Amino acid sequence: MSEHTTAVTDAGFAQDVREASRTQPVLVDFWADWCGPCHSMSPILEQLAADNAGRVKVVKLDVDANPQTPAALGIRSIPTLMLFRDGELAATHVGNAPKAMLSAFLDAKLAA
């Protein structure tokens, strides 16, 4: 994906997100190539990943190529961000948002 974000798949979700979140929180961006708001949020997530390197891992899951995980998690709209901590879902944000709002969301949930 980029220097600060990586792609995950249905097959690797348990290991790359749930297990990985036991040592470091993982923020998952559920997106699709056809989704305009997803594309506009991508550089913001890249900045958040860079700003929070070592504090949170940021990954992206393409919902079209990997439909099982979004269905299992009840995702009905994209972009959706889900933060996992200690192997469990800790917070969800649905929809596009400016960097300040996403940064505040992440700071609040990581501090909790």
Side-chain angles (χ1 to χ4, degrees), residues 30-54:
F30 293 89
W31 72 285
D33 193 44
W34 52 264
C35 172
C38 297
H39 283 286
S40 68
M41 215 162 79
S42 189
I44 295 169
L45 289 173
E46 181 66 27
Q47 290 173 349
L48 287 176
D51 294 347
N52 292 282

Side-chain angles (χ1 to χ4, degrees), residues 12 19 25 38 65 96 110:
E19 287 303 315
C38 297
N96 198 355
L110 291 177

Side-chain angles (χ1 to χ4, degrees), residues 8-22 69 87:
V8 295
T9 64
D10 284 339
F13 194 84
Q15 181 68 34
D16 296 335
V17 176
R18 291 198 182 269
E19 287 303 315
S21 74
R22 295 184 188 284
T69 301

Side-chain angles (χ1 to χ4, degrees), residues 28-79:
V28 183
D29 173 25
F30 293 89
W31 72 285
D33 193 44
W34 52 264
C35 172
C38 297
H39 283 286
S40 68
M41 215 162 79
S42 189
I44 295 169
L45 289 173
E46 181 66 27
Q47 290 173 349
L48 287 176
D51 294 347
N52 292 282
R55 187 173 173 220
V56 66
K57 177 182 174 183
V58 179
V59 300
K60 298 172 77 70
L61 187 135
D62 181 337
V63 299
D64 288 337
N66 302 281
Q68 294 172 346
T69 301
L73 292 171
I75 294 173
R76 304 266 184 245
S77 179
I78 56 173

